[in-house]
Amino acid sequence: MNDLLHNYRQLIERIDALCRGIKDALGEQVTCTEGCSDCCTAITLFPVEAASLAAALEALPEEEAEEIRAHVAEQAQGERCPLLRNHRCLLYAARPVVCRTHGLPIIYGSGHERRIDYCPLNLTEGETLPGSAIIDLDNLNSLLVAVNALFLSQSDAQDMPERLTIAETLLKRTPPR
């Protein structure tokens, strides 16, 4: 599994470095901190993200993993992320791509229809954003789709759904291989 997730983990490292650089560049204008969970809604994952999240859960001591599974099962039908407990992510280190970029400035769309979005709690001073402090969401998603396609082609997960919920991912006993 680890070899199959190598490309995904490399992508995550680069995304984390990009996000750190943006937070450093914007300084106090980024107010997102530990415990802020306003953006944490129920999402769906690509199979490669699901496999990485499931692998992180399986790597935990069994008692801790069972506690997380029980919590996810209880919260599975809600609108909030089922991994949230007391406004904190139970598998924060393994969180999906969208969770890593939440709140930061993103640009998306095509042609003249490109839009910039960010958490309304951030960037309240109205300063101009440098281009290096904006995540191109379309490019990021293209990379994630490519890494997911490679993962699917190299694993026995080709018959997996296109997207999975966090509950579907974590309530299974074994991650896709």
Side-chain angles (χ1 to χ4, degrees):
M1 174 61 71
N2 285 334
D3 289 337
L4 290 175
L5 293 174
H6 175 75
N7 293 318
Y8 178 73
R9 290 194 174 119
Q10 281 190 313
L11 178 62
I12 291 300
E13 285 178 22
R14 290 183 176 161
I15 290 169
D16 286 349
L18 173 66
C19 292
R20 273 191 309 276
I22 291 171
K23 288 176 184 174
D24 289 346
L26 297 178
E28 292 180 7
Q29 289 197 67
V30 176
T31 61
C32 299
T33 59
E34 184 179 340
C36 178
S37 65
D38 290 351
C39 297
C40 302
T41 59
I43 61 170
T44 59
L45 310 170
F46 282 108
V48 69
E49 293 176 295
S52 179
L53 199 62
L57 182 71
E58 293 297 322
L60 295 175
E62 187 57 32
E63 186 175 310
E64 184 179 352
E66 281 304 318
E67 185 178 309
I68 291 172
R69 282 188 195 97
H71 180 80
V72 167
E74 289 173 11
Q75 305 298 318
Q77 300 306 313
E79 292 182 22
R80 305 286 288 152
C81 178
L83 281 170
L84 275 181
R85 180 185 289 154
N86 299 323
H87 301 282
R88 286 173 171 68
C89 180
L90 295 172
L91 288 174
Y92 185 80
R95 68 198 183 283
V97 170
V98 68
C99 303
R100 293 168 187 275
T101 61
H102 265 318
L104 297 177
I106 58 169
I107 189 167
Y108 61 96
S110 61
H112 297 303
E113 297 295 318
R114 307 251 314 151
R115 298 185 60 185
I116 294 178
D117 194 18
Y118 49 84
C119 174
L121 301 176
N122 291 335
L123 309 167
T124 58
E125 296 175 19
E127 293 182 21
T128 302
L129 290 171
S132 62
I134 302 171
I135 298 169
D136 188 321
L137 188 60
D138 300 321
N139 286 344
L140 180 62
N141 285 337
S142 293
L143 290 170
L144 180 55
V145 166
V147 167
N148 184 64
L150 185 60
F151 168 79
L152 289 173
S153 73
Q154 295 175 343
S155 70
D156 62 0
Q158 291 93 346
D159 60 342
M160 286 185 72
E162 193 172 307
R163 305 284 290 189
L164 297 115
T165 66
I166 289 173
E168 289 169 332
T169 298
L170 298 181
L171 298 179
K172 295 179 184 176
R173 281 295 180 197
T174 57
R177 294 185 304 272

